[in-house]
Amino acid sequence: MPALPKIVIVGRPNVGKSSLLNLLAGRRVSIVDPTAGVTRDRVSTNITIPPPREATDGEFIKAELIDTGGMGIEDSMQLTAEVEQQIAHGLAEADVVLFVVDAQTGVVPLDNTVAKALRTSGAKSKPVLLVANKVDAENIEAAAYETAALGFGEPICVSAKTKYHLHRFTDRLHEILKDLTPADGQDVDTDPGIKLALVGNRNAGKST
Ligand code: GDP
């Protein structure tokens, strides 16, 4: 069975990671909550990205979309360490990274923490797409481009709420997935093998 490329969504709490996952999945898979730091498990779902609208013979590309956000986050005191851990974990398995920020709040210190963690954990070797979410309408777009200061190029502006620029977002995602080499996951005939899950209390030493 060919392994699907893995798209991992990272970003601080409340930027709309779950909302984007649900939007791309076309159904409610992940919990959307207005409270930052709501604890929830890693959520994964298979999605299909349609070919760009102008493509006459484009293919539909399947991928696994993983939201690692909010994992284990229970209070703001532990946010930084948890975000870094979450990113390191997500990156290890990612073929493509979606770095989601909130265009309405602009860049806040925790976004810089995420950016730093992405840089130091070797994400540079993987495609990172900066996604400025909450661009509900055109009037927010100009401010959203200021998130380019994070150092991951110009953002793709989108709104999980109003679906503003949804097609631009999926077109860009399609482009990135299409460019992945077979070694990145697509069309590789790998044996899925046996999957082991490590479970246990926080701090029990699972990551070690
Ligand atoms: P996560 O913590 O990053 O997974 O964020 P959620 O998906 O749970 O969303 C956090 C809050 O932002 C919720 O109240 C959502 O309804 C809201 N939200 C998500 N996407 C958008 C968007 O595109 N526009 C606006 N205005 N609000 C959004």
Side-chain angles (χ1 to χ4, degrees), residues 38-121:
V38 166
T39 303
R40 59 162 186 270
D41 295 328
R42 167 190 186 279
V43 176
S44 157
T45 186
N46 287 353
I47 58 165
T48 305
I49 306 289
R53 284 152 300 165
E54 69 274 13
T56 46
D57 57 350
E59 50 169 346
F60 285 75
I61 301 181
K62 282 195 163 75
E64 184 183 353
L65 185 62
I66 300 156
D67 177 9
T68 58
M71 198 169 69
I73 292 171
E74 276 164 1
D75 61 66
S76 56
M77 299 302 287
Q78 302 202 3
L79 224 50
T80 304
E82 294 291 357
V83 167
E84 282 173 359
Q85 202 177 48
Q86 167 221 137
I87 291 168
H89 186 82
L91 280 177
E93 58 178 354
D95 294 304
V96 178
V97 179
L98 298 184
F99 176 11
V100 184
V101 291
D102 181 334
Q104 294 195 12
T105 59
V107 174
V108 303
L110 202 53
D111 293 317
N112 284 309
T113 306
V114 177
K116 191 172 158 226
L118 280 173
R119 271 191 286 272
T120 53
S121 58

Side-chain angles (χ1 to χ4, degrees), residues 151-208:
F152 290 89
E154 284 203 345
I156 273 285
C157 298
V158 72
S159 167
K161 188 178 175 186
T162 66
K163 300 187 184 175
Y164 186 69
H165 282 336
L166 173 61
H167 287 297
R168 268 200 211 172
F169 177 40
T170 55
D171 287 359
R172 183 78 188 96
L173 212 44
H174 191 279
E175 213 175 277
I176 293 172
L177 289 169
K178 207 164 168 247
D179 285 347
L180 289 180
T181 61
D184 292 321
Q186 191 85 342
D187 299 322
V188 180
D189 197 17
T190 52
D191 179 357
I194 296 170
K195 287 188 176 173
L196 290 177
L198 281 176
V199 296
N201 242 323
R202 286 159 65 94
N203 269 349
K206 299 182 295 299
S207 308
T208 318

Side-chain angles (χ1 to χ4, degrees), residues 14-19 32-34 40 133-134 136 159-161:
N14 240 14
V15 291
K17 297 181 300 299
S18 310
S19 305
V32 174
D33 197 289
R40 59 162 186 270
N133 186 39
K134 306 196 187 179
D136 296 340
S159 167
K161 188 178 175 186

